[in-house]
Amino acid sequence: MTDAVWSPTSWQSRAAAQQAVYGDSAALARTLEEMGRLPPLVTSWEIERLRNDLARASRGEAFLLQGGDCAESFDDCRAEPIAAKLKILLQMSLVLVHGTRKPVIRIGRIAGQYAKPRSTDHETRGDVTLPAYRGDLVNRDAFTSADREPDPMLMLRAYERAALTLNFIRALTDGGFADLNHPEYWDVSFAKDSPKAAEYEEIVRGIRESLDFVSAITGVENEVLRRVELYTSHEALALPYEQAQTRQVPRRTGWYNLSTHFPWIGMRTAQLEGAHVEFHRGIENPLGIKIGPAMTKEWLIGLLDALDPQRIPGKITLIHRMGAAGVREKLPPIIEAVRSVGRTVLWVCDPMHGNTETVAGGIKTRRFDNIISELEQSFALHNELGSRLGGVHVELTGENVTECIGGARGLIESDLERAYKSRVDPRLNYEQALEVALRLSKHLRANR
Ligand code: PEP
Ligand code: CO
C-alpha cells in the first residue's frame, strides 16, 4: 500500500468512509480552489515544535492535556465560550503541572473540530429520510432537505471560523491572559462556590509562591507561566477540507497539513486500505490515532507501519478509549503489540468515548465515576506493564452545562435536561473538568 506515490489528492482513489456527498461538484471544486489560495492557519515550525514536544512526552519528560468540544459549532464562535474553553484548559494544565512536576503540553480540540462521524448516513423521522447531520462544516442540523444537503460553502465558513477562533486564542495567550501575575484570569469565577474551589486555589497559591521564591533568589522574573502555548487539533475527517490546506512550505521538504497542528484519525476511519490512512501517511504533522476495543494487534501494527515507517520521535500518539468496563481486558494486548515491534509512542487515555451511555428519554450521558475509573485503571495498567501513560484527552466546555452525571456537585439524571447543550457527545462542564484535573493530579502525585 505504502509503495504508491503519495500526493494531497491520492486519497481520492481509496474508499473514503464518513464523507459528505456533494451534489454540485463544480461548486465543491471552486470552494477548494479558493481555500487553497487563502493563508494557512498554522505554520510548519509550530508543527515541528509540537512534534518535538510530543517526543518529549513519549519519553516521560512532559505530559499532554488535549481537550475541547466533541464538535465545535459556528454559533459558539463567540468571545465568551472561546475564552472559557481556553481558561479551563489553562487551569487544568496548571493543576497537572502541580501533579506531574512536568511541563504540560496543551492541545485544544479547537479551531477546526467541525466535522463528525455518524453511525448511519441517513436519518429518518416519520416517513421522511434525509442525510445525517455531519457537523457544521458539512451541513445544517435542522431537519429539512435544504439544511441537510451538504454545502461546500460551509467548508469555507468553517475555515474562516477556525481562523477567527485561533486569532482570538493567539491574542489572548500573547496578551497576558495566562500570566500568573494576573490572578483574575486564574480565579474560578462562577464556580467560586464549587466544592473543589479551595483545593484549586491552594494549588495556584503554591505555584505562585514557588515562582516568587525562584525570582527572589535568582533576581530573574519568572517567565515560565507568563506566556503559554495552546496547539490546535481536530479529527481530520472531511478529507477535501484537509487536502485544501495541505501544502509545501519554503525551505522545508515534505507536506504539511496547515489547517491544524495535530490532526487525528478517528476509530471509524482507520481502515488500513482506506482514504484517511492514505491521506495521513503523506503529511509531516504529528498524528493522533484513536484506539477502541475493536483494534487488533495486526491492524495496529499495520497502521504504525503505514503512518510512521521511519519511526520519527513524537510522530504517533495513540489515544485509547476502551471504556471503564473494558480497559483491563483490552488495553494490555495493545501495549504489548507496540512493545513487540520495539516502537516508542505517546500513550494518551480518552476516558470519554468508551463511557457513553443512553439514559431515560434517550439522553446521551457519561458518568464522572466511569471517567475517573478508566483514567486510574489506565495509569495502573501502563505501570504494571512497564509502559507509561503520558496524557489525557477529554471532551469539555468552559461553561456550566449539565451533560455528564456525577462530580463533586453530584449531578443526577434529572439534572441533565437543565442545561444540555451538546448536539453530539456529552461534555464535562467547567467544574467537572477542573475536578478531573484535581483527581488526576492527586493520583499522579501519590504514585510518583
Ligand atoms: C471523538 O473524539 O469525538 C470521536 C468521535 O472519537 P472516536 O473516533 O474515538 O469514537
Ligand atoms: Co465525541
Side-chain angles (χ1 to χ4, degrees):
M1 174 180 83
T2 50
D3 298 338
V5 175
W6 183 90
S7 79
T9 56
S10 58
W11 63 269
Q12 292 176 9
S13 62
R14 304 297 176 101
Q18 299 285 342
Q19 300 302 291
V21 179
Y22 291 99
D24 185 346
S25 52
L28 174 64
R30 269 197 312 277
T31 305
L32 294 181
E33 201 268 330
E34 182 172 352
M35 282 176 63
R37 271 186 280 121
L38 293 169
L41 298 181
V42 304
T43 63
S44 61
W45 52 89
E46 291 169 339
I47 290 171
E48 293 290 329
R49 190 165 62 227
L50 174 61
R51 211 180 51 215
N52 286 328
D53 287 352
L54 295 173
R56 218 164 285 141
S58 73
R59 296 192 298 266
E61 298 158 17
F63 193 80
L64 173 64
L65 169 65
Q66 185 179 16
D69 290 305
C70 184
E72 292 178 276
S73 74
F74 289 178
D75 282 349
D76 276 349
C77 185
R78 289 177 285 113
E80 296 79 20
I82 296 169
K85 227 180 295 175
L86 177 61
K87 185 166 163 173
I88 182 62
L89 286 170
L90 293 177
Q91 293 184 344
M92 287 176 82
S93 69
L94 191 70
V95 171
L96 290 171
V97 165
H98 183 73
T100 58
R101 295 288 193 261
K102 287 175 189 168
V104 171
I105 305 159
R106 306 167 199 83
I107 304 183
R109 290 174 60 115
I110 203 163
Q113 177 57 16
Y114 292 116
K116 294 308 295 174
R118 303 312 307 252
S119 45
T120 53
D121 286 344
H122 291 91
E123 181 181 346
T124 300
R125 293 189 197 173
D127 50 12
V128 183
T129 296
L130 295 174
Y133 168 65
R134 291 186 173 279
D136 284 3
L137 182 150
V138 173
N139 56 4
R140 300 175 183 86
D141 194 23
F143 196 70
T144 74
S145 56
D147 285 305
R148 289 296 174 90
E149 182 64 25
D151 178 356
M153 193 54 73
L154 294 175
M155 241 184 310
L156 194 55
R157 295 286 94 85
Y159 182 60
E160 293 158 355
R161 289 290 204 281
L164 292 169
T165 303
L166 190 51
N167 179 62
F168 189 44
I169 290 171
R170 290 190 193 276
L172 288 172
T173 52
D174 280 351
F177 186 84
D179 189 339
L180 253 197
N181 300 308
H182 287 189
E184 65 274 24
Y185 298 130
W186 294 101
D187 74 9
V188 277
S189 56
F190 68 79
K192 267 211 164 37
D193 61 336
S194 154
K196 292 284 166 183
E199 200 178 321
Y200 167 75
E201 274 158 11
E202 194 52 42
I203 290 178
V204 175
R205 192 159 40 243
I207 292 181
R208 200 178 285 132
E209 274 171 17
S210 332
L211 292 179
D212 287 350
F213 178 68
V214 171
S215 44
I217 55 171
T218 60
V220 181
E221 278 280 302
N222 202 308
E223 287 291 323
V224 183
L225 284 153
R226 185 148 299 169
R227 238 201 114 266
V228 297
E229 200 88 55
L230 180 83
Y231 294 105
T232 65
S233 69
H234 63 255
E235 178 173 353
L237 183 71
L239 291 172
Y241 179 87
E242 308 299 326
Q243 170 201 311
Q245 302 183 56
T246 296
R247 303 168 189 185
Q248 289 183 296
V249 299
R251 290 176 295 283
R252 283 194 203 277
T253 54
W255 293 80
Y256 289 83
N257 180 350
L258 298 176
S259 73
T260 187
H261 300 112
F262 185 64
W264 80 81
I265 302 179
M267 259 312 283
R268 287 175 241 205
T269 50
Q271 301 82 7
L272 269 180
E273 301 297 326
H276 290 80
V277 170
E278 171 61 19
F279 173 77
H280 285 89
R281 79 176 173 92
I283 58 176
E284 300 295 321
N285 307 56
L287 304 173
I289 309 172
K290 289 288 204 89
I291 306 288
M295 183 56 65
T296 63
K297 177 177 175 177
E298 295 69 32
W299 184 4
L300 178 55
I301 292 173
L303 285 170
L304 295 171
D305 287 344
L307 295 168
D308 180 27
Q310 298 181 63
R311 305 188 170 204
I312 296 166
K315 178 74 188 183
I316 300 287
T317 297
L318 297 182
I319 307 166
H320 50 78
R321 24 88 84 229
M322 302 299 190
V327 64
R328 181 153 283 280
E329 180 200 348
K330 297 289 184 179
L331 182 58
I334 295 296
I335 296 175
E336 287 302 343
V338 173
R339 189 202 309 276
S340 73
V341 291
R343 282 179 177 269
T344 302
V345 299
L346 171 59
W347 292 103
V348 168
C349 175
D350 164 359
M352 312 299 291
H353 287 89
N355 292 311
T356 315
E357 58 185 279
T358 304
V359 294
I363 303 176
K364 270 211 278 183
T365 191
R366 291 161 172 157
R367 290 174 201 277
F368 188 85
D369 289 346
N370 288 339
I371 292 168
I372 295 291
S373 164
E374 181 166 358
L375 277 173
E376 292 187 348
Q377 290 186 69
S378 296
F379 276 105
L381 288 166
H382 278 282
N383 266 343
E384 285 166 26
L385 293 168
S387 173
R388 185 188 306 107
L389 187 60
V392 290
H393 177 120
V394 284
E395 286 186 345
L396 55 78
T397 160
E399 294 165 90
N400 196 10
V401 301
T402 56
E403 298 171 6
C404 292
I405 290 175
R409 206 176 278 277
L411 290 186
I412 54 173
E413 226 174 285
S414 59
D415 288 317
L416 293 180
E417 58 193 21
R418 187 152 44 82
Y420 197 105
K421 294 195 191 148
S422 177
R423 280 182 291 176
V424 274
D425 291 339
R427 302 158 297 177
L428 296 166
N429 64 24
Y430 180 85
E431 286 183 5
Q432 290 168 330
L434 196 59
E435 191 177 350
V436 165
L438 288 165
R439 293 279 292 267
L440 203 58
S441 176
K442 245 191 207 157
H443 182 86
L444 289 167
R445 291 200 72 176
N447 293 283
R448 220 174 28 226

